[in-house]
Amino acid sequence: MYADGDYDVAGFSVGAVERDNILTGDGIAEGDVLLGLASSGLHSNGFSLVRRMVADLGLDLGAKADFDSERTLGEVLLTPTRIYVKSCLAAHRAGLLKGLAHITGGGFDENIPRILPDGLAAEIDAATWHMPAVFKWLVDAGVAPEELSRTFNCGIGMVAVVAADRATEAEDILSLSGETVWRIGELVARTPQLPDVIVSGMDQAWRG
């Protein structure tokens, strides 16, 4: 229910692809490399939690952010979402992509498993990329690293799955297309004891 003066804005896009160019993920295999493409910020996800934290901490969205001397907290939180279409198309047209996982709401834990075949898990090292200050602010404000991983993009807006022997080539094309790219992990055989996504080193990399 909306109160007087409240409004909602929604948008959508429509894409078209030739049948023989569909990225199905059929070739994804153990040993494939995970490339993480840098996000521009929160990417419009997890805002229910962020709004609750802002309210509980009594923060002023119009005041300078403690972790960003040039922008207000509101400006940081509303940083426009980075769009990866052109760079990912360039890598796909070069025949380098096996799969893509857009890290939206649900973080790594819910989005990466959607493209994984049965029997595989994603093993990610949290120390392999630079996490924007807004996410460290969330951790410092009380969000546990495990909650961060399953709610926010944590600085990685898109994950590309590529063959290990073509990872450098994929990195080069994505970088030339304007992306900041990190090798964040690989695919491993999944046993019943393993979750679909294992993010190691979160406490050390994301606190402080």
Side-chain angles (χ1 to χ4, degrees), residues 17-152:
V17 60
E18 296 294 339
R19 195 177 302 275
D20 57 358
N21 281 328
I22 295 174
L23 194 61
T24 65
D26 286 344
I28 292 175
E30 182 180 355
D32 284 345
V33 169
L34 301 176
L35 300 180
L37 310 188
S39 70
S40 55
L42 296 180
H43 283 194
S44 304
N45 294 114
F47 273 87
S48 295
L49 177 55
V50 171
R51 285 196 298 268
R52 175 65 181 271
M53 290 178 58
V54 169
D56 288 350
L57 296 172
L59 300 177
D60 180 0
L61 293 173
K64 290 292 183 184
D66 291 341
F67 53 89
D68 189 321
S69 61
E70 297 183 358
R71 295 185 293 171
T72 67
L73 179 58
E75 288 172 335
V76 173
L77 297 179
L78 295 179
T79 300
T81 298
R82 185 167 184 82
I83 305 299
Y84 302 94
V85 174
K86 292 182 179 179
S87 57
C88 290
L89 274 176
H92 183 41
R93 286 168 178 156
L96 296 170
L97 298 183
K98 290 188 171 188
L100 289 170
H102 190 196
I103 311 303
T104 56
F108 296 126
D109 296 15
E110 292 184 13
N111 289 291
I112 295 177
R114 293 174 182 173
I115 64 169
L116 298 183
D118 291 341
L120 291 181
E123 196 168 71
I124 295 171
D125 182 353
T128 52
W129 73 92
H130 172 73
M131 191 168 72
V134 64
F135 296 107
K136 291 195 174 184
W137 167 72
L138 289 169
V139 173
D140 291 343
V143 178
E146 294 77 14
E147 180 66 20
L148 203 75
S149 174
R150 59 176 174 258
T151 304
F152 299 95

